[in-house]
Amino acid sequence: MCAVGCTGPRNASQCGVPGTGSTQGTSIVTTSNTSTSSVRLPWADATRAAGVIAVVVFHVLIWIHDPVFGTETAAGPLLSRVNALLGTLRMPVLFALAGILASPSLIRGGDARKALSRSVSSYYLYVVWLLIYLLVFLLVGTAGSPHYFDSLNGFLTQLVVPDTTLWFIFALAVYIPVVLAARAVRLPPPVLLVLAVVVWFVLQSEGDGSLLERCAEHFVFFASGVFGAATLRRAAVAPLWLAGLFSAVFLALMVLRTTDIGAQNDALEFLSSLASIPAMAAVAHQLCRIAPVARAAGFIGARTLPVYVLHPVVIVCILAVGRQEALGPLVGSFVVDALYPVVLSAAVIIVCLTAENLLVRIPGNPLFALPESVRRRIVHSHPQNGDQRSSTSGTQSRNPRGRAISPLRRPRS
């Protein structure tokens, strides 16, 4: 997936992850059979679903469509503009939603142990799927495969320096300890947010675009979700006219970025990404008033983790077959060229969901959930370092769930 800020021409060098991602391994990605005592929020599922679909479409474009057919096909200019739009909102929205969902355990007074279990869960999923990616690359990958690595050394390096689409899940695992540390030293949230904004601008102007830097850049959106959760929740359920206003502001900023004044303007890029968060949530809420849309969004939104982690595997397998060139003559048609990435993305998502339906049957569900014994040990441990939360017995009565942060939720084993 591309790193959050990929808004320029589509090319492999811009691809970061999404960041999963979205999307929970910890984030905004959730798995099927979600078990939670809280009421599901249709707008959150819809926003999560839209984010992970945008990630898949982006990767289909930069990994399959563009390398095979080029960017100057019949619909190439349109696809580039659409991708720029999606690039502005894709990762900021996913990280913000992850922050909103993690907020109760991260804000002052929240259960730090529960937050820590989310972080461990996310990193566990990161390691498991990084190992799976290594096996896939060894079996069917080539040196030209996206984010290719084929050695134990490459695997060990990525345990601390992410360089695949899994950077989103890695980031979510790291963000929680950062917020908890700020909470432990009583750093005021506004100060932490200001520092995060400074980091974003510094890396935008001075960074090299690595995925590790993308993790640092996007912390500002996660932190915005954590500390602005109440405001963003209210924005999500805003009336239709306000949803329209949010969308208008976002689109106006995007249009301004296409002008000579707005092109390559870091401030406009940041503001448009920030504006996309309430706009996406509010639009999702309005669309969920349509029953079929709400059902479809709920179905995909509850399974964003498997789509997020599995779609690169499916794309690598498609590239291994290598027969896309046969479609070359068809991309001369604007309609066919425009529909090609949409149809292929839908096919990739269907394959991911089908595979997930089989993989969750593995006893203990190790591919999508932290082992229950580990989660319980973290969540039910005795309070440490002045944690004033209730004792283990009190925690047990609440029966907390150690879900990976964000949009990804843990399926039942």
Side-chain angles (χ1 to χ4, degrees), residues 20-49 52 94 96-104 114 117-118 121-122 124-125 129 168-169 172 233 297-309 353 356 360 364-370 372 375 400-413:
T20 143
S22 242
T23 66
Q24 262 153 280
T26 285
S27 94
I28 270 188
V29 204
T30 65
T31 57
S32 63
N33 301 322
T34 298
S35 175
T36 176
S37 59
S38 60
V39 177
R40 294 190 68 89
L41 301 174
W43 66 265
D45 277 341
T47 305
R48 188 163 38 224
V52 79
L94 287 176
L97 183 53
I100 292 172
L101 298 177
S103 180
K114 183 176 179 180
S117 75
R118 289 174 177 268
S121 179
S122 293
Y124 165 80
L125 292 172
W129 283 95
F168 176 60
I169 297 176
L172 291 170
R233 285 177 183 271
F299 182 82
I300 297 177
R303 294 164 174 81
T304 48
L305 173 59
V307 173
Y308 183 84
V309 297
L353 294 175
E356 183 256 358
V360 294
N365 196 22
L367 300 186
F368 299 109
L370 181 71
E372 184 65 11
R375 185 194 68 80
R401 300 283 180 178
R403 295 185 295 277
I405 278 194
S406 106
L408 309 179
R409 287 191 186 126
R410 188 165 53 87
R412 295 186 187 132
S413 57

Side-chain angles (χ1 to χ4, degrees), residues 204-215:
Q204 282 291 306
S205 59
E206 305 295 336
D208 59 11
S210 69
L211 295 184
L212 185 60
E213 285 189 354
R214 294 293 185 181
C215 292

Side-chain angles (χ1 to χ4, degrees), residues 41 43 232-240 242 246 281-282 285-286 289:
L41 301 174
W43 66 265
L232 290 173
R233 285 177 183 271
R234 287 194 295 270
V237 296
L240 180 60
L242 196 51
F246 291 151
H285 173 69
Q286 295 299 326
R289 294 176 181 274

